[in-house]
C-alpha cells in the first residue's frame, strides 16, 4: 500500500490520479490533498476521500471549504492554505508517495520539501524541474528521493532507459504533436485566438499547458526537464513532430538501436506507471496496435515555433534563463487568454525578458523564486499597456 499526497488534486492530472486511486484501492490510499481555489471540487474530494489534510491556495478558499465541511458535518480533516499548506501536504508523516501536479512554480517548495524528506515523487509539474531542476536533482541525490516522471514523454524515456545504461545512450527523442497550428500558414499566426489555441488535437489538459503546446513552448520546457532528469546536454535532446502522439518518446542507443514507447493518449497510464514503479500492474488502458496504419514524423520548423528555439537557448544558458523562460511564458499566456496579447506576443515577450535577464545559477529555492518574480515583473512591463480613458 502506498500512501498518496496529491499536489494539484483538482486539476487534470490530480483528478486522473484520484481515478487511479479509485481503481486500485488495495494499492493506493489517499492521505493528503492540495487544491487551488476550486472549493466545490475540493469539497467533493473531501466527501469521497476523507483526507487527513487538505490545503487550499489562499485563506478565503480555505475558510469557504472549512465552512462547507462544517455545514455537512464532516470532521477530522485539517484545512490549511498557501505555500505552508502545500508543504504540510507533501511532508505529512504518513505520506510515502507525492504526486506533484500544481501548475506553475506554486508547487515548487512543496515538491522540494518532499524531495528533502527522501520521498517517492511522481512529477508532472515540469515548471518545478525547469525552474529549480539543478537544486531538486542535487537534493534527491543527497536524500535518495526517487523522482518518477509523469509527463508522458519523460515517462516514455524512463521506460525506454530500462533497455540500457546511461553511458550507452546516444541521444533521446521527444515526440511532439505539433499542436493545432502544425500546418497553419505562418501568415495566419497573427490572428490566432485563445479559442483556437485551446483546441489540442490529441490531449485534453489544463489551459496553460494547452496553450504551451500550441506555441511548442511546452516541448521547450520538456527539453530542459529532460536534460535535468536524464543528465543530458541540450544537443542530445532532440524533438520530432509526430502528429498521432502514439509514440510518446524514444531513446537512441550507441549501437544504433532506437527504443520507443507506444500507448494510448491517456495520462492515467504514465501516472499508473510512476505510482506502481518498479512494478507493472494490469490495466484496461490498452492500445490496439491492429488499428494502427501509419506513423508520421517531421522536423520542427523553428521559424513557425520560435518558442522552441528560445527554449534550446535557455537550456544551454541554464540557471536564471530557464527560470525566466518559464515565468515570462506564464505571464504572457495569461495575457493571451485574457485577450490582452496576440498569439505571437507570447514568444516576443519571452525573448525580451530573456534578453534583459543576466545568466546566473541560483543557490537556493529562495533565489529561484526571486529570479522567477523578477522575470514576471519584467514580462508584465513588456505587455501591451491598456489604453487609458480620455
Ligand atoms: N494535463 C496533462 O495532461 C499534463 C501532462 C503533462 C504534464 N502536465 C503538468 O502537470 C501540471 C498540472 O497540469 P494540469 O493540466 O493538471 O493543470 P490544471 O488542470 O490547470 O490543474 C492545476 C492544478 O494546480 C492547482 N493550483 C493552481 N494554482 C495553485 C496554487 N497557487 N496553490 C495550490 N494549487 C494550485 C489547481 O487548483 P484549482 O483548480 O483548485 O485552482 C489545480 O488543482 C503542470 O505542471 C503541467 O505542465 C500536465
Amino acid at each position: 500500500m502506498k500512501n498518496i499526497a496529491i499536489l494539484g488534486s483538482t486539476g487534470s492530472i490530480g483528478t486522473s490520479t484520484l481515478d487511479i486511486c479509485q481503481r486500485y484501492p488495495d494499492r493506493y490510499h489517499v492521505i493528503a490533498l492540495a487544491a487551488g481555489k476550486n472549493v466545490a471540487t475540493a469539497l467533493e474530494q473531501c466527501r469521497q476521500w476523507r483526507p487527513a489534510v487538505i490545503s487550499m491556495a489562499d485563506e478565503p478558499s480555505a475558510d469557504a471549504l472549512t465552512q462547507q465541511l462544517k455545514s455537512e458535518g464532516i470532521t477530522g480533516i485539517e484545512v490549511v492554505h498557501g505555500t505552508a499548506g502545500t508543504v504540510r501536504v507533501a511532508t505529512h508523516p504518513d505520506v510515502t508517495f507525492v504526486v506533484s501536479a500544481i501548475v506553475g512554480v506554486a508547487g515548487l517548495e512543496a515538491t522540494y520539501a518532499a524531495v528533502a524528506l527522501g520521498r517517492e515523487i511522481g512529477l508532472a509539474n515540469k515548471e518545478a524541474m525547469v525552474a529549480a531542476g539543478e537544486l531538486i536533482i542535487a537534493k534527491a541525490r543527497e536524500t535518495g528521493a526517487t523522482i518518477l516522471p509523469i509527463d508522458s514523454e519523460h515517462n516514455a524515456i524512463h521506460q525506454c532507459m530500462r533497455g540500457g545504461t546511461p553511458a550507452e545512450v546516444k541521444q533521446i527523442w521527444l515526440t511532439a504533436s505539433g499542436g493545432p497550428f502544425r500546418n497553419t500558414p505562418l501568415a495566419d499566426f497573427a490572428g490566432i485566438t485563445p479559442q483556437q489555441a485551446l483546441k489540442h488535437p490529441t490531449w485534453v489538459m489544463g489551459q496553460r499547458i494547452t496553450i504551451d503546446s500550441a506555441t511548442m513552448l511546452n516541448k521547450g520546457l520538456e527539453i530542459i526537464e529532460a536534460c535535468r532528469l536524464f543528465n543530458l546536454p541540450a544537443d542530445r535532446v532532440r524533438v520530432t513532430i509526430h502528429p498521432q502522439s502514439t509514440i510518446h518518446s524514444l531513446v537512441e542507443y550507441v549501437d544504433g538501436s532506437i527504443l520507443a514507447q507506444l500507448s494510448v493518449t491517456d495520462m492515467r497510464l504514465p501516472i499508473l506507471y510512476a505510482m506502481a514503479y518498479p512494478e507493472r500492474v494490469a490495466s484496461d488502458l490498452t492500445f490496439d496496435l491492429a488499428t494502427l496504419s501509419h506513423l508520421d514524423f517531421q522536423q520542427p520548423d523553428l521559424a513557425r515555433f520560435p518558442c522552441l528555439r528560445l527554449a534550446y537557448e535557455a537550456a544551454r544558458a541554464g540557471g536564471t534563463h530557464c527560470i525566466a523562460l518559464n515565468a515570462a511564458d506564464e505571464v504572457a499566456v495569461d495575457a493571451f487568454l485574457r485577450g490582452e496579447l496576440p498569439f505571437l506576443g507570447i514568444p516576443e515577450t519571452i525573448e525580451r525578458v530573456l534578453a534583459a535577464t543576466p545568466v546566473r545559477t541560483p543557490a537556493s529555492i529562495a533565489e529561484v523564486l526571486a529570479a522567477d518574480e523578477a522575470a514576471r515583473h519584467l514580462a508584465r512591463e513588456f505587455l501591451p499597456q491598456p489604453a487609458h480613458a480620455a
Side-chain angles (χ1 to χ4, degrees):
M1 180 67 88
K2 290 190 183 180
N3 286 340
I4 311 293
I6 305 172
L7 304 170
S9 65
T10 46
S12 166
I13 295 290
T15 50
S16 294
T17 305
L18 287 169
D19 184 75
I20 296 288
C21 295
Q22 190 163 7
R23 286 164 180 240
Y24 299 91
D26 51 336
R27 286 184 162 267
Y28 307 116
H29 177 45
V30 176
I31 297 280
L33 301 173
K37 296 183 184 173
N38 186 341
V39 177
T41 305
L43 176 66
E44 185 53 45
Q45 292 179 349
C46 285
R47 281 192 201 115
Q48 184 176 356
W49 295 98
R50 303 291 168 128
V53 55
I54 184 163
S55 177
M56 301 300 296
D58 54 23
E59 201 169 358
S61 309
D63 288 347
L65 180 64
T66 305
Q67 277 307 319
Q68 295 189 36
L69 288 171
K70 204 170 159 193
S71 70
E72 292 193 18
I74 299 173
T75 56
I77 300 176
E78 180 189 353
V79 182
V80 291
H81 67 269
T83 302
T86 56
V87 171
R88 167 96 183 106
V89 165
T91 60
H92 188 283
D94 296 342
V95 165
T96 54
F97 191 102
V98 178
V99 174
S100 170
I102 289 178
V103 66
V105 291
L108 173 56
E109 279 151 300
T111 304
Y112 189 75
V115 171
L117 285 182
R119 299 261 158 93
E120 256 191 305
I121 322 281
L123 185 80
N125 178 211
K126 66 190 82 184
E127 300 91 336
M129 196 46 82
V130 169
E134 289 128 330
L135 294 169
I136 292 173
I137 296 291
K139 185 54 84 180
R141 286 205 186 104
E142 194 184 309
T143 63
T146 308
I147 300 175
L148 295 153
I150 283 179
D151 219 350
S152 60
E153 293 77 1
H154 305 77
N155 188 273
I157 298 290
H158 191 274
Q159 299 197 39
C160 296
M161 286 277 192
R162 290 167 95 173
T165 66
E168 291 165 348
V169 173
K170 183 178 174 194
Q171 57 187 353
I172 63 177
W173 290 86
L174 302 178
T175 53
S177 71
F181 309 124
R182 185 170 47 92
N183 295 318
T184 305
L186 255 181
D188 294 350
F189 268 52
I192 288 171
T193 64
Q195 239 179 348
Q196 292 169 320
L198 283 170
K199 277 198 194 115
H200 193 278
T202 47
W203 293 97
V204 179
M205 307 179 285
Q207 285 206 338
R208 179 184 175 197
I209 185 171
T210 305
I211 302 300
D212 284 348
S213 298
T215 61
M216 285 196 77
L217 192 275
N218 179 52
K219 207 50 53 182
L221 298 178
E222 289 177 5
I223 291 166
I224 299 169
E225 185 185 8
C227 290
R228 282 151 180 198
L229 281 171
F230 304 111
N231 196 22
L232 290 167
D235 60 2
R236 286 170 64 201
V237 180
R238 309 282 302 275
V239 172
T240 180
I241 293 188
H242 166 47
Q244 290 91 0
S245 300
T246 297
I247 293 181
H248 296 298
S249 278
L250 314 93
V251 175
E252 184 174 341
Y253 285 94
V254 286
D255 63 358
S257 291
I258 301 178
L259 301 193
Q261 188 262 344
L262 290 75
S263 59
V264 281
T265 50
D266 187 326
M267 286 307 293
R268 287 175 303 177
L269 187 51
I271 295 170
L272 177 62
Y273 171 87
M275 287 170 71
Y277 183 83
E279 287 176 67
R280 286 190 185 268
V281 297
S283 87
D284 59 0
L285 299 164
T286 50
F287 177 72
D288 183 4
L289 207 63
T291 62
L292 185 64
S293 57
H294 63 284
L295 295 170
D296 299 313
F297 299 94
Q298 72 189 60
Q299 283 312 294
D301 174 358
L302 295 190
R304 185 182 295 271
F305 297 111
C307 284
L308 206 49
R309 169 181 59 79
L310 293 169
Y312 267 115
E313 287 168 11
R316 290 187 192 102
T320 43
H321 269 217
C322 295
I323 298 168
L325 179 88
N326 173 59
D329 175 67
E330 197 170 306
V331 171
V333 167
D334 270 354
F336 171 67
L337 287 171
R338 288 195 307 269
E340 291 166 12
L341 187 72
F343 188 72
L344 290 174
I346 298 174
E348 279 164 19
T349 305
I350 298 171
E351 187 145 27
R352 290 182 72 185
V353 171
L354 287 176
T357 301
V359 181
R360 277 189 306 102
T361 306
S364 65
I365 295 293
E367 283 185 30
V368 168
L369 292 172
D372 176 84
E373 197 38 58
R376 277 168 207 275
H377 183 76
L378 272 176
R380 280 184 216 109
E381 281 191 348
F382 292 144
L383 291 179
Q385 298 307 313
H388 292 292

Coordinates of all heavy atoms in Angstrom, one line a residue, residues 13 29 56 80 84 87 115 133 137 139 157 206 216 231 236 258 271 277 295 300 315 340 362 383:
I13 N -4.4 16.4 -14.0 CA -3.5 15.3 -13.6 C -4.0 14.8 -12.2 O -4.1 13.6 -11.9 CB -2.0 15.8 -13.4 CG1 -1.5 16.1 -14.8 CG2 -1.2 14.7 -12.7 CD1 -1.3 14.9 -15.7
H29 N -3.7 4.6 -1.0 CA -4.5 5.2 0.0 C -4.3 6.7 0.0 O -3.1 7.2 0.2 CB -4.1 4.6 1.3 CG -4.9 5.1 2.5 ND1 -6.2 5.3 2.5 CD2 -4.5 5.4 3.7 CE1 -6.6 5.8 3.6 NE2 -5.6 5.9 4.4
M56 N -5.7 24.6 0.6 CA -6.2 25.5 -0.5 C -5.2 26.6 -0.8 O -4.4 26.9 0.1 CB -7.6 26.1 -0.1 CG -8.6 25.1 0.3 SD -9.1 23.9 -1.1 CE -9.8 25.0 -2.3
V80 N -5.7 23.6 5.6 CA -4.6 24.6 5.7 C -4.6 25.4 4.4 O -5.4 25.1 3.5 CB -3.3 23.9 5.9 CG1 -3.2 23.3 7.3 CG2 -3.0 22.7 4.9
A84 N 2.7 27.2 2.9 CA 2.9 26.4 4.1 C 2.0 25.2 4.0 O 2.3 24.1 4.4 CB 2.7 27.2 5.3
V87 N 3.2 22.6 1.6 CA 4.4 21.9 2.2 C 3.9 20.9 3.2 O 4.4 19.7 3.3 CB 5.4 22.9 2.8 CG1 6.5 22.2 3.6 CG2 6.0 23.7 1.7
V115 N 11.2 16.1 -1.7 CA 12.5 15.5 -2.1 C 13.5 15.5 -0.9 O 14.2 14.6 -0.7 CB 13.0 16.3 -3.3 CG1 14.5 15.9 -3.6 CG2 12.2 16.1 -4.5
G133 N 15.5 22.6 -11.3 CA 15.9 21.2 -11.6 C 17.3 20.9 -11.0 O 17.5 19.8 -10.4
I137 N 17.5 17.9 -8.2 CA 18.2 16.7 -8.5 C 19.4 16.5 -7.5 O 19.6 15.4 -7.0 CB 18.8 16.7 -10.0 CG1 17.7 16.7 -11.0 CG2 19.8 15.6 -10.2 CD1 16.9 15.4 -11.1
K139 N 19.4 17.6 -4.4 CA 18.8 17.2 -3.2 C 18.4 15.7 -3.2 O 18.5 15.0 -2.2 CB 17.6 18.2 -2.9 CG 17.0 18.0 -1.5 CD 17.9 18.1 -0.3 CE 18.2 19.5 0.1 NZ 19.2 19.5 1.3
I157 N 10.6 8.0 -21.9 CA 12.1 7.9 -21.8 C 12.5 7.1 -20.6 O 13.4 6.2 -20.8 CB 12.7 9.3 -21.7 CG1 12.4 10.2 -22.9 CG2 14.2 9.3 -21.5 CD1 13.0 9.9 -24.2
G206 N -4.9 21.0 -18.9 CA -5.1 22.3 -18.3 C -4.9 23.4 -19.3 O -4.2 23.1 -20.4
M216 N 4.5 25.5 -28.8 CA 5.6 24.5 -28.6 C 6.5 24.9 -27.5 O 7.6 24.3 -27.4 CB 6.3 24.2 -29.9 CG 5.5 23.3 -30.8 SD 6.4 22.5 -32.1 CE 7.2 21.2 -31.3
N231 N 20.2 13.8 -17.1 CA 21.6 14.3 -17.1 C 22.2 14.3 -18.5 O 23.3 13.7 -18.7 CB 22.4 13.3 -16.1 CG 23.7 14.0 -15.7 OD1 23.9 15.2 -15.8 ND2 24.7 13.1 -15.3
R236 N 21.8 16.7 -27.0 CA 21.4 15.3 -27.1 C 20.0 15.0 -26.7 O 19.5 13.9 -26.5 CB 22.4 14.5 -26.2 CG 23.8 14.4 -26.8 CD 24.8 13.8 -25.8 NE 24.5 12.4 -25.4 CZ 25.0 11.9 -24.3 NH1 25.7 12.6 -23.5 NH2 24.7 10.6 -24.0
I258 N 17.0 2.0 -31.6 CA 16.2 3.1 -31.0 C 15.0 2.4 -30.4 O 14.2 1.6 -31.0 CB 15.7 4.0 -32.1 CG1 16.9 4.7 -32.8 CG2 14.8 5.1 -31.6 CD1 16.5 5.6 -34.0
I271 N 0.8 8.0 -15.1 CA 0.6 8.2 -13.7 C 0.6 6.8 -13.0 O 1.3 6.6 -12.0 CB -0.8 8.9 -13.4 CG1 -0.8 10.3 -13.9 CG2 -1.1 8.9 -11.9 CD1 -2.2 11.0 -13.9
Y277 N 5.7 1.9 -10.0 CA 7.2 1.6 -10.2 C 7.8 1.0 -8.9 O 7.5 1.5 -7.8 CB 7.9 2.9 -10.6 CG 9.3 2.7 -10.9 CD1 9.8 2.2 -12.1 CD2 10.3 2.9 -9.9 CE1 11.1 2.0 -12.4 CE2 11.6 2.7 -10.1 CZ 12.0 2.3 -11.4 OH 13.4 2.1 -11.6
L295 N 2.6 5.9 -39.0 CA 3.1 6.8 -38.0 C 3.9 7.9 -38.8 O 4.7 7.5 -39.6 CB 4.1 6.1 -37.0 CG 3.5 5.0 -36.1 CD1 4.6 4.2 -35.4 CD2 2.6 5.7 -35.1
P300 N 10.7 19.8 -36.6 CA 10.0 21.0 -36.2 C 10.6 22.2 -36.9 O 11.8 22.3 -37.2 CB 10.3 21.1 -34.7 CG 11.4 20.2 -34.4 CD 11.5 19.2 -35.5
A315 N 18.1 26.4 -22.4 CA 18.6 25.2 -21.8 C 20.2 25.2 -21.8 O 20.8 24.7 -20.9 CB 18.2 24.0 -22.7
E340 N -5.4 40.0 -24.1 CA -4.6 41.3 -24.0 C -3.3 41.2 -24.7 O -2.6 42.2 -24.8 CB -4.4 41.6 -22.5 CG -5.6 42.0 -21.7 CD -5.4 42.0 -20.2 OE1 -4.3 41.9 -19.8 OE2 -6.5 42.1 -19.5
P362 N 21.1 30.1 -9.5 CA 20.6 30.3 -8.1 C 21.1 29.2 -7.2 O 21.2 28.0 -7.6 CB 19.1 30.2 -8.2 CG 18.8 30.3 -9.7 CD 20.0 29.8 -10.4
L383 N 4.3 43.8 -21.4 CA 3.0 43.5 -22.0 C 2.4 44.8 -22.6 O 2.7 45.9 -22.0 CB 2.0 43.0 -21.0 CG 2.3 41.6 -20.5 CD1 1.2 41.2 -19.4 CD2 2.3 40.5 -21.6

